[in-house]
Amino acid sequence: MERSTIVRVHEGLHARPATRFVKLAKSFESDVEIVKDGKAASAKSSVKLMLLGVKEDQEVTVRATGADAIEAVEALIGYLENPLSGLDEDAAAAIAPNPAGAESVPAAPVAAPEPAAAADGALRGIAASEGVAIGPAFAHFPPEIRAEGRELSAGEIPAEIERLKAAIAAVQRRMDKALAENSLSAGDRGIIAALKDIAADETLTGETEALVVRGVDAVSAVISATSKIASEFGGVDDHYLNARADDVHAVGRQICLALLGQDDVSLENIPQGAILIADDIGAWDLARAPLKRIGGVVCGHGGATSHIAIIARSHGIPAVLGLGERINTLREAKAIALDGDAGFVAADPDETVRADFARRVGQAAAERDALTAFRDFTPKLADGTVIEVAANIGSLEEIDAALEAGAMGVGLFRTELLFMRHMHLPSEDMQAETYSALARAFAPHPVIVRTLDIGGDKPIAGIEFPEEENPFLGWRGIRMCLDRPDIFKRQLRALLRAAVHGNVKVMLPMVSDIDEVRRTKTLIEECAAELDAEGAPHAMFPLGVMIETPAAVLIAPALAREVAFFSIGTNDLTQYVMAADRLNPTVAKLNDVTNPAVMSAIEMTARAGVEAGIMVGMCGEAAGRPDLIPAFLRMGLTELSMSPASVPRAKKRIAELETGAGG
């Protein structure tokens, strides 16, 4: 059984997406391969999979042989075709609350040119995580582990293999213990899970064991095997995969330490606000470090896509990486000034530099504090109208980030991930528990749950989708749900049960006809009657629709008489109005929400809702754009839902409008 597809996983199968892909592949008995450009790799080996260099928008073939081959291929193809399935943990890391209070988590900056000494004596490296910092230097240069170079006798080999296996198992147990700690963020947990997968990967373990069988001692074998694999990663034409070489070395070091019965040098004693200086620091060490105390990171190794950079960005820690051998000039420094925006590092800065950095640090802190003040702020217009600034989330794991950001409820809860995470359709009880937990977490604020928005572009186990020329215009969203009442009624019953636990609202995706709303209302009434007969506690919920098709815009006045609210989904609305696939880079410039045609569609929708007296909100990412918020509010929108990281800035923008400071 085999099937080809175009990869839609963000940035392709790099570390964490590869780990999740392998985990899914291992859940099947069949042998599974993925093929790209005529080269095949086991789908059950994260190292082999990453070395294949599968990128976003490339074509691959998934091939399986065995009793459950059909199920394996369909599930893995579904993962590759669904962008969210490659983003869930990475996105969680990107929107995690920032311990340092940063207003947002920056994206990976573009790598700086080849590092060179600056004219003022500062060192230039790769600007890997934005921000400025100045503080005491904390040099972290653990001793290098060198190959023992022992030649084993034939009689020593079996015991050496067992020693190697025990060391690998010990490293995995240590990582399992770290994964169980509640202090780890979702992003850090994903990174450690990827490292654990490398430690257990058959490519690494097999290569190492083969060397031991040939008489090489275990420590030397680990160093040799990790160096070879890291070199292969370094030769792949992909900056994300190049950065995985550092992860392989980090895992190899941990296995060697376990073989030697040693512990690595700890970061537990790093002073508050200190700048961490290291030739290299493994993601394993940094993820477990007291990150709230680290003022900045300077490294000889690493780049903007390395796990060091990802961890630093997700925790708001400025970082300059890739200094190479010049990192050794900082070993004896007493203080460090670090500019993560420009990629410069100055050792023992003079008073002028200190004063400049102190000013910039203070300015950044003031900006962060200003946004922090909006956490519990209720934005209102000059006439007293409350504007609900809510969060878009897709799982219960994202609740804390949304609450920390000050979200006034949830404007879009994507239920697709609940269906995609399981090999079978989630039961009514499982759904009810999830929706109830969501409602309780944000009560009394509203949570708007979008009913299942699944189509041929992102299939799930348990639903057979037809082959479609254009899944975005096909059997998806409310269309599929109404055709499958066995699935739809299960979700509606769960939502009715959850409504007793908080302020639950429900909205329908991809509506293009009034009859779709009326048929849904009939199903809701049937579900409520069934629950009444069963004596199950439940409550009715307000029903709304997403406005994301041109048809919905054109019939908005009629729809407004049928529903309790509108929520404008700008991502899909833009692609449908502009007739431009939002996943197609060649027409990316057409996917602009500020295009007059799209803005006109939004205004028409808002006018229809306001005239009918219903709430009009927006749950596309455009809702969080400070430059567009004034226009949306003038149109009559009273709810804006966005990524949690954008919530404080949106609240601030509305406050400026209230006072007249924002124009």
Side-chain angles (χ1 to χ4, degrees), residues 161-208:
I161 289 177
E162 290 305 312
R163 194 165 76 94
L164 173 64
K165 290 180 177 178
I168 293 172
V171 170
Q172 289 182 283
R173 286 194 300 272
R174 197 179 307 159
M175 291 181 174
D176 279 332
K177 183 178 179 182
L179 289 170
E181 294 176 4
N182 293 328
S183 58
L184 284 178
S185 71
D188 295 349
R189 187 173 285 107
I191 289 172
I192 291 178
L195 295 176
K196 179 192 170 190
D197 211 45
I198 292 174
D201 194 275
E202 60 185 28
T203 305
L204 175 59
T205 58
E207 185 84 23
T208 307

Side-chain angles (χ1 to χ4, degrees), residues 22-23 26 94 101 126 141 151 166 248 282 306 320 330 364 389 426 433 492 494 499 507 542 569 585 597 622 658:
V22 167
K23 183 178 180 181
K26 286 181 176 179
I126 296 170
F141 291 88
E151 186 173 342
V248 174
S306 67
V320 175
L330 304 178
V389 181
E433 289 174 8
L492 293 174
M507 66 178 173
E658 180 186 0

Side-chain angles (χ1 to χ4, degrees), residues 115 147 160 245 291 319 324 329 352 378 386 405 410 439 449 457 465 470 481 514 572 616 651 655:
E160 192 74 351
L291 294 168
T329 65
T352 301
T378 299
V386 173
V410 174
V449 179
D457 61 313
F465 287 87
N470 191 336
C481 286
I514 294 175
D572 270 338
V616 181
K651 285 188 172 184

Side-chain angles (χ1 to χ4, degrees), residues 601-648:
I602 294 171
E603 188 169 15
M604 289 171 61
T605 301
R607 185 185 308 118
V610 170
E611 290 177 354
I614 66 172
M615 186 272 282
V616 181
M618 178 180 288
C619 59
E621 283 308 304
R625 286 182 53 172
D627 59 325
L628 297 181
I629 286 175
F632 295 149
L633 298 185
R634 283 195 296 271
M635 293 177 187
L637 275 67
T638 57
E639 186 252 16
L640 300 170
S641 190
M642 61 206 68
S643 297
S646 300
V647 167

Side-chain angles (χ1 to χ4, degrees), residues 1 14 47 85 147 156 162 212 228 244 247 269 281 306 341 384-385 390 392 538-539 561 607 619 642:
M1 172 66 184
H14 54 91
V47 169
S85 68
E156 293 176 303
E162 290 305 312
V212 174
K228 177 184 175 183
R244 302 292 71 81
D247 296 338
N269 297 321
I281 178 169
S306 67
D341 300 319
T385 301
N392 297 337
H538 66 282
R561 293 191 291 271
R607 185 185 308 118
C619 59
M642 61 206 68

Side-chain angles (χ1 to χ4, degrees), residues 255-314:
I255 296 173
C256 286
L257 288 169
L259 283 166
L260 297 169
Q262 299 176 5
D263 291 323
D264 219 342
V265 178
S266 174
L267 293 171
E268 281 298 321
N269 297 321
I270 189 168
Q272 182 68 40
I275 309 300
L276 174 61
I277 305 168
D279 177 43
D280 189 15
I281 178 169
W284 162 247
D285 299 297
L286 190 58
R288 299 177 302 123
L291 294 168
K292 290 183 179 180
R293 296 210 301 266
I294 298 176
V297 175
V298 183
C299 255
H301 286 75
T305 57
S306 67
H307 275 148
I308 306 171
I310 292 171
I311 293 172
R313 286 194 297 272
S314 68

